[in-house]
Amino acid sequence: MPLGEIAGEALGGVFRFVAHIVFEIVVEWLLRGTGALILRLSRPRHEPGETAAIVTGLLFWIAMVAFGFWLYRQASP
C-alpha cells in the first residue's frame, strides 16, 4: 500500500471518530437528555420514549434560540 492510502485511511478514521463524538454529544446529551428531562417533569410516572425525548429536546432548543434572538433584537437599538 502506498503511504498516501494509509494516511488517508487513518485520517478518515480520525474524522469518523470525531464526528461520532460530536453526534453523541449533540443528539444524546443535548437533545435526548433535555427532552427526557422535560418529559419526566411533565409526566413523572411515564418513562419517555427515545423519539419523543429527541423531538421534545429539539423543540426546546429551537425555542431557546428563537427566544435568545428575540431578546437580542429587543435589547439592540
Side-chain angles (χ1 to χ4, degrees):
M1 264 195 210
L3 186 59
E5 286 183 30
I6 295 172
E9 287 181 20
L11 199 56
V14 168
F15 284 135
R16 272 193 303 274
F17 176 72
V18 170
H20 180 70
I21 296 297
V22 169
F23 178 81
E24 287 289 323
I25 290 171
V26 170
V27 172
E28 291 294 324
W29 191 66
L30 284 178
L31 296 181
R32 193 180 67 77
T34 304
L37 178 66
I38 292 169
L39 290 175
R40 279 191 201 121
L41 289 174
S42 64
R43 303 181 311 173
R45 295 181 186 195
H46 299 284
E47 185 65 28
E50 184 119 355
T51 305
I54 290 174
V55 170
T56 303
L58 182 63
L59 291 174
F60 171 78
W61 286 112
I62 288 172
M64 288 297 104
V65 169
F67 177 70
F69 182 72
W70 176 81
L71 199 60
Y72 171 75
R73 297 284 291 172
Q74 295 298 317
S76 63

